[in-house]
């Protein structure tokens, strides 16, 4: 995956992952950074064929050069295999002309990740997950963290931080 940055956006359902990713895609595109996205279909079973208003379609409409969604062994870049691991998909993306890969989901993988926290009950993720680079929280955190924390209403500030982060690392 030489030359390609991989950043995970993780959190529970309805935490704002897709909205955040579309904002990041738009910011990257404005700076001439091409983006590919990979979404883990965490609802069980195979993902439906891509339909308007699905998350991967929102990624494409925001300007992603390539999108994929995986679930139950089905990968929509319409490729079939018994089981798709994130590493397999990243191998495919490694051949594509993109600069950054934004991964929605796959909480347990070991790539740099931004964690979205909806409420205090979600804070356990900050102890369980690895490679956290930032947190976006809907409410004030009860715990302290060694990484930057952004409020859910600080999208512009986070996007600026993110763009500096990907350009500086």
């Amino acid at each position: 995956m030489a030359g390609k940055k991989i950043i995970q956006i993780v959190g529970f359902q309805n935490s704002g992952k897709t909205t955040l990713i579309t904002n990041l895609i738009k910011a990257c595109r404005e700076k001439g950074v091409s983006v590919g996205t990979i979404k883990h279909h965490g609802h069980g079973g195979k993902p439906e064929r891509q339909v308007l208003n699905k998350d991967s379609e929102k990624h494409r409409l925001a300007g992603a050069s390539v999108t994929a969604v995986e679930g139950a062994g089905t990968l929509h870049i319409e490729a079939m295999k018994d089981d798709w691991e994130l590493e397999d998909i990243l191998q495919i993306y490694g051949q594509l002309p993109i600069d950054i890969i934004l991964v929605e989901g796959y909480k347990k993988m070991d790539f740099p990740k931004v964690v979205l926290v909806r409420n205090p009950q979600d804070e356990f993720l900050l102890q369980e997950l690895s490679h956290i680079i930032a947190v976006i929280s809907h409410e004030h955190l009860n715990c302290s963290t060694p990484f930057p924390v952004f409020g859910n209403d600080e999208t512009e500030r986070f996007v600026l931080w993110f763009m500096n982060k990907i350009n500086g690392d």
Side-chain angles (χ1 to χ4, degrees):
M1 217 33 54
K4 296 193 193 318
K5 295 178 192 296
I6 302 168
I7 307 287
Q8 291 179 259
I9 308 298
V10 302
F12 290 113
Q13 189 174 6
N14 297 319
S15 60
K17 298 181 301 291
T18 301
T19 299
L20 178 61
I21 286 178
T22 59
N23 286 325
L24 295 176
I25 293 166
K26 290 173 185 174
C28 287
R29 296 280 299 185
E30 287 175 9
K31 299 292 184 187
V33 176
S34 62
V35 180
T37 64
I38 301 170
K39 178 180 176 16
H40 184 244
H41 182 64
H43 308 293
K46 295 181 180 183
E48 298 173 17
R49 294 214 173 264
Q50 289 185 351
V51 183
L52 287 176
N53 297 323
K54 295 293 182 188
D55 293 347
S56 56
E57 181 68 4
K58 290 176 184 176
H59 297 174
R60 187 188 66 74
L61 291 172
S65 299
V66 62
T67 66
V69 61
E70 183 280 331
T74 298
L75 175 65
H76 278 258
I77 311 178
E78 219 41 60
M80 300 300 285
K81 181 177 163 178
D82 286 342
D83 184 39
W84 284 97
E85 298 294 328
L86 180 58
E87 290 294 335
D88 299 330
I89 303 166
L90 290 171
Q91 286 293 323
I92 294 168
Y93 272 48
Q95 305 304 310
L96 301 173
I98 52 179
D99 302 310
I100 186 168
I101 301 168
L102 297 177
V103 178
E104 185 174 334
Y106 294 96
K107 288 182 190 77
K108 302 295 183 184
M109 296 303 294
D110 289 329
F111 295 104
K113 59 183 63 78
V114 176
V115 180
L116 281 74
V117 176
R118 301 171 300 184
N119 53 49
Q121 291 78 19
D122 291 353
E123 288 183 27
F124 74 93
L125 290 172
L126 304 179
Q127 278 70 51
E128 282 191 4
L129 301 179
S130 64
H131 297 87
I132 298 171
I133 58 171
V135 175
I136 299 176
S137 182
H138 291 240
E139 299 178 19
H140 179 74
L141 293 179
N142 293 323
C143 62
S144 61
T145 68
F147 19 79
V149 177
F150 299 86
N152 192 46
D153 58 350
E154 296 182 290
T155 302
E156 286 183 36
R157 189 169 81 87
F158 172 76
V159 169
L160 180 62
W161 175 88
F162 180 86
M163 295 305 294
N164 287 332
K165 180 83 172 158
I166 66 167
N167 288 325
D169 284 351

